[in-house]
Amino acid sequence: AFSSSADVVKVFGHKNPDTDATVGAILRSWELEKLGQAAEPFVLGTLNKETEYVLDRFEVSTPPLLGPLDADSKVAVVDTNNPAELPDDLDFNMITSIVDHHKLCGISTESPIEVDIRPLCSAGSVIYERLNTAGIKPTPQIAGLILSCI
């Protein structure tokens, strides 16, 4: 089926991306794709050496830097729900889901969204649990990425 760019969910973590935010965006995009939703991971800044190593080790391309959001953008947020750590041009009503492991920090939307916040060690761990619940088996590459988030 044809999907327009407006149908593609833009997935990203926090500013100053670490491994969990970057890989979490990759994992959440993979999860959404497996569930039939077009998605693309993005980063909000320059990667650190650890994250570069992980992506190189598992032969995964660095997600592109997120550009300006337009009014039709749909986004999924991983590894944060803190407004200060998100893009300045993000309208919270663009958010379709949040997958995180941090305390609640003040995002409010006009309509209900999917929120999965669990007291685990990483967003990658939350996504792993989500995959298990959905019966989606990670590939060896995805499993390695999940472990790198811890």
Side-chain angles (χ1 to χ4, degrees):
F2 174 79
S3 64
S4 72
S5 61
D7 294 331
V8 177
V9 174
K10 297 175 180 184
V11 184
F12 50 83
H14 50 75
K15 295 176 183 176
N16 301 315
D18 57 13
T19 301
D20 198 24
T22 303
V23 173
I26 294 166
L27 295 171
R28 179 71 173 130
S29 294
W30 187 81
E31 175 193 15
L32 287 169
E33 291 278 347
K34 288 291 183 185
L35 296 171
Q37 171 62 60
E40 183 178 359
F42 290 89
V43 294
L44 301 184
T46 304
L47 302 186
N48 62 34
K49 297 283 186 208
E50 174 189 293
T51 306
E52 288 176 350
Y53 174 83
V54 166
L55 297 181
D56 183 56
R57 166 64 181 83
F58 292 106
E59 299 177 345
V60 176
S61 299
T62 300
L65 188 63
L66 182 69
L69 295 167
D70 59 47
D72 295 330
S73 293
K74 295 178 186 172
V75 306
V77 176
V78 297
D79 197 37
T80 187
N81 67 90
N82 182 344
E85 296 179 337
L86 294 169
D88 295 334
D89 63 344
L90 176 64
D91 175 344
F92 296 155
N93 293 307
M94 295 174 181
I95 299 172
T96 60
S97 67
I98 298 170
V99 175
D100 196 6
H101 65 116
H102 297 101
K103 69 178 184 168
L104 291 173
C105 287
I107 290 178
S108 179
T109 60
E110 292 176 5
S111 300
I113 64 170
E114 179 183 8
V115 177
D116 192 345
I117 299 176
R118 303 184 196 192
L120 300 175
C121 60
S122 66
S125 297
V126 176
I127 294 167
Y128 173 74
E129 290 293 322
R130 293 172 58 83
L131 294 172
N132 274 342
T133 299
I136 301 170
K137 183 177 180 180
T139 64
Q141 180 188 49
I142 292 296
L145 290 172
I146 291 167
L147 286 171
S148 76
C149 292
I150 297 173

